[in-house]
């Protein structure tokens, strides 16, 4: 059979190992872990590896992925991570067991939809504690949610949640998470029923767990990046107790040639509107690999062969300087790259990239 490239390979056992380590560390502190699978486009083998490793539930930001996960894992709870659009409530109720909410109108609308479908739905109320993405900003807003939830007959509040490190890059702090714990308690008292979950964030919150600073009331985390890649982009770190050899990209060389390192002729913008300046390093050996910005951002690729540098990319071509490559490259050679979260997300979504996995 023809080997197709570019090829993105996920190492399932290594991902399961990471899941077991994260779930184990969390369990020791009374925290359950939800496996976030949007980074791998809800690939069922990866989701399975994360569940095998000890994650309690699955989460994705897209209802299409949740529909797919419902078929693959009918008994595993599924969380919709993106606050739902009005136009997708029907699918949210149908395919998710619970959703994150941040506007009171969505509670009433979810309740109506549940009644129409004869279904029940759980929600986590999101608080913006600094990152300035979704969520309630002031305590004064909580009253509207209490009213909406008291009126609802098919929607229950199961928890409160927060995001860090997503829009503004704000890191989680013990004081912000203590506030979240108080909000959980306040909602429970106002509603008169148990609100069990205090969902204190994602991969970026693991550092507080490691240092023993996670407030005791936080009992739930939604984790993707740390399990899938052993990385924490918000702190620009490789998580030392996790594996990073969980995924790699192979792209095929379509041209190798010595070329001047500076362009010739009057310069305008590149294919993506950027004006670029090049240093004159004399003639250099360069390789073109057949993958481009349509599939992956070039900045997110890390060549595994020492001496190879990524120079840039257009839609379909990524240009490498291979003059100092530790391995010889020719037309038809393959180059391996480690990837970050942004690269994995894009690669798993591109129909032009062959997805592969190994045990
Ligand atoms: C993507 C996402 C997560 C997971 O984040 P990681 O950094 O991959 O652990 C958690 N919560 C929400 C709401 C998300 O959208």
């Amino acid at each position: 059979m023809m080997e197709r490239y570019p090829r993105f390979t996920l190492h399932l056992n290594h991902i399961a190992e990471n899941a077991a380590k994260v779930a184990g560390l969390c369990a020791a502190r009374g925290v359950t872990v939800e496996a976030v699978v949007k980074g791998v486009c809800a690939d069922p083998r990866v989701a399975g590896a994360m569940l095998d490793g000890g994650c309690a539930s699955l989460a994705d930001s897209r209802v299409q992925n949740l529909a797919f996960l419902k078929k693959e894992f009918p008994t595993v709870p599924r969380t919709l991570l993106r606050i739902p659009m009005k136009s997708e409530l029907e699918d949210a109720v149908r395919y998710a067991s619970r959703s994150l909410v941040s506007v009171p109108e969505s509670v009433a609308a979810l309740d109506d939809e549940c009644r129409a479908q004869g279904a029940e739905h759980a929600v986590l109320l999101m608080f913006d504690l600094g990152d300035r993405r979704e969520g309630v900003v002031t305590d004064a807003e909580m009253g509207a949610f209490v009213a909406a939830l008291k009126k609802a007959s098919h929607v229950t509040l199961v928890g409160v949640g927060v995001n860090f490190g997503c829009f503004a890059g704000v890191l989680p702090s013990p004081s912000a998470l203590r506030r979240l714990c108080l909000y959980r308690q306040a909602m429970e008292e106002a509603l008169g029923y148990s609100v069990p979950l205090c969902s204190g964030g994602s991969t970026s919150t693991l550092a507080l767990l490691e240092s023993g600073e996670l407030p005791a009331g936080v009992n739930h985390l939604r984790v993707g990046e740390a399990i899938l890649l052993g990385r924490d982009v918000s702190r620009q770190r490789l998580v030392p107790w996790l594996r990073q050899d969980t995924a790699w990209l192979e792209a095929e060389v379509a041209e190798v040639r010595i070329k001047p390192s500076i362009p010739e002729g009057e310069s305008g913008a590149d294919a993506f509107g950027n004006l670029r300046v090049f240093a004159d390093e004399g003639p250099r050996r360069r390789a073109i690999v057949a993958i481009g910005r349509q599939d992956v951002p070039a900045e997110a690729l890390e060549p595994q062969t020492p001496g190879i540098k990524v120079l840039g990319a257009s839609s379909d071509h990524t240009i490498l300087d291979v003059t100092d490559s530790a391995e010889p490259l020719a037309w038809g050679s393959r180059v391996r790259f480690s990837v970050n979260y942004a690269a994995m997300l894009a690669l798993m979504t591109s129909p032009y990239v062959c997805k592969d996995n190994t045990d």
Side-chain angles (χ1 to χ4, degrees), residues 125-138 161-164 170 179-180 183:
L125 176 56
M126 297 304 283
F127 287 84
D128 171 7
L129 301 180
D131 197 50
R132 301 295 174 250
R133 204 176 72 180
E134 76 277 38
V136 172
V137 191
T138 63
V162 64
N163 264 304
F164 293 105
V170 169
R179 261 169 72 201
L180 185 69
Y183 291 142

Side-chain angles (χ1 to χ4, degrees), residues 8 38-41 249 291-298 300-301 339-353 355:
F8 185 58
K38 67 190 186 206
V40 289
C41 211
L249 167 72
I291 189 164
R293 292 198 185 276
Q294 184 164 0
D295 314 295
V296 69
L301 294 178
V339 299
N340 65 15
Y341 191 83
M344 179 174 65
L345 190 67
L347 290 163
M348 287 301 289
T349 315
S350 172
Y352 305 105
V353 174
K355 284 83 175 174

Side-chain angles (χ1 to χ4, degrees), residues 36-39 41-42 58-70 78-85 88 91-92 95-96 345 349:
V36 175
V37 295
K38 67 190 186 206
C41 211
L58 296 169
D60 202 290
S61 46
R62 310 286 169 141
V63 286
Q64 294 93 327
N65 288 354
L66 292 177
F68 174 73
L69 290 170
K70 184 176 180 179
R78 294 166 307 276
T79 301
L80 177 59
L81 286 175
R82 185 170 65 187
I83 45 170
M85 293 181 273
E88 71 181 352
D91 282 349
Y95 302 122
L345 190 67
T349 315

Side-chain angles (χ1 to χ4, degrees), residues 23-353:
L25 179 71
C26 287
R29 310 285 213 295
V31 176
T32 56
V33 177
E34 181 153 85
V36 175
V37 295
K38 67 190 186 206
V40 289
C41 211
D43 183 293
R45 289 152 304 192
V46 178
M50 292 167 95
L51 292 170
D52 289 346
C55 295
S57 54
L58 296 169
D60 202 290
S61 46
R62 310 286 169 141
V63 286
Q64 294 93 327
N65 288 354
L66 292 177
F68 174 73
L69 290 170
K70 184 176 180 179
K71 274 202 215 104
E72 295 282 329
F73 304 96
T75 60
V76 178
R78 294 166 307 276
T79 301
L80 177 59
L81 286 175
R82 185 170 65 187
I83 45 170
M85 293 181 273
K86 193 175 181 185
S87 60
E88 71 181 352
L89 290 184
E90 187 182 333
D91 282 349
V93 168
R94 184 157 288 135
Y95 302 122
S97 355
R98 58 194 181 204
S99 303
L100 312 186
V101 295
S102 77
V103 291
E105 306 91 288
S106 68
V107 174
L110 277 168
D111 199 47
D112 289 344
E113 186 54 45
C114 282
R115 209 165 297 122
Q117 290 187 31
E120 301 287 318
H121 201 71
V123 293
L124 278 108
L125 176 56
M126 297 304 283
F127 287 84
D128 171 7
L129 301 180
D131 197 50
R132 301 295 174 250
R133 204 176 72 180
E134 76 277 38
V136 172
V137 191
T138 63
D139 304 16
E141 289 184 73
M142 286 167 66
F145 285 95
V146 171
L149 285 159
K150 277 192 165 163
K151 254 200 220 148
S153 50
H154 295 68
V155 172
T156 36
L157 186 72
V158 283
V160 296
V162 64
N163 264 304
F164 293 105
C166 281
F167 172 63
V170 169
L171 296 173
S173 66
S175 65
L177 288 169
R178 273 194 292 272
R179 261 169 72 201
L180 185 69
C181 297
L182 292 176
Y183 291 142
R184 187 202 64 76
Q185 212 179 327
M187 289 304 289
E188 188 168 84
E189 281 160 16
L191 290 170
Y193 61 77
S194 159
V195 177
L197 297 181
C198 184
S199 190
S202 59
T203 292
S204 63
T205 302
L206 288 175
L208 295 182
L209 229 144
E210 291 166 39
S211 65
E213 292 173 281
L214 189 73
V218 175
N219 58 13
H220 185 260
L221 292 178
R222 313 170 305 268
V223 182
E225 187 190 13
I227 296 173
L228 296 170
L229 292 172
R231 295 174 182 232
D232 173 1
V233 67
S234 67
R235 289 184 168 77
Q236 309 264 293
R237 67 170 185 150
L238 305 179
V239 182
W241 46 280
L242 294 173
R243 302 189 72 125
Q244 284 80 42
D245 55 353
T246 50
W248 59 86
L249 167 72
E250 290 166 282
E252 187 170 326
V253 173
E255 180 187 295
V256 184
R257 184 166 270 136
I258 294 180
K259 293 194 180 190
S261 44
I262 48 169
E264 184 179 337
E266 190 189 345
S267 285
D270 70 11
F272 285 81
N274 304 305
L275 295 166
R276 295 204 53 187
V277 183
F278 297 90
D280 190 356
E281 299 174 57
R284 302 287 291 175
R285 181 179 296 275
R286 293 163 42 141
I288 296 175
V289 286
I291 189 164
R293 292 198 185 276
Q294 184 164 0
D295 314 295
V296 69
E299 300 69 33
L301 294 178
E302 303 159 10
Q304 288 187 349
T305 307
I308 298 183
K309 272 200 313 226
V310 179
L311 296 176
S314 54
S315 315
D316 308 300
H317 304 76
T318 298
I319 318 294
L320 310 176
D321 185 321
V322 300
T323 316
D324 304 321
S325 173
E327 287 160 25
L329 289 176
W331 182 65
S333 301
R334 265 131 11 208
V335 181
R336 268 199 189 206
F337 301 87
S338 300
V339 299
N340 65 15
Y341 191 83
M344 179 174 65
L345 190 67
L347 290 163
M348 287 301 289
T349 315
S350 172
Y352 305 105
V353 174

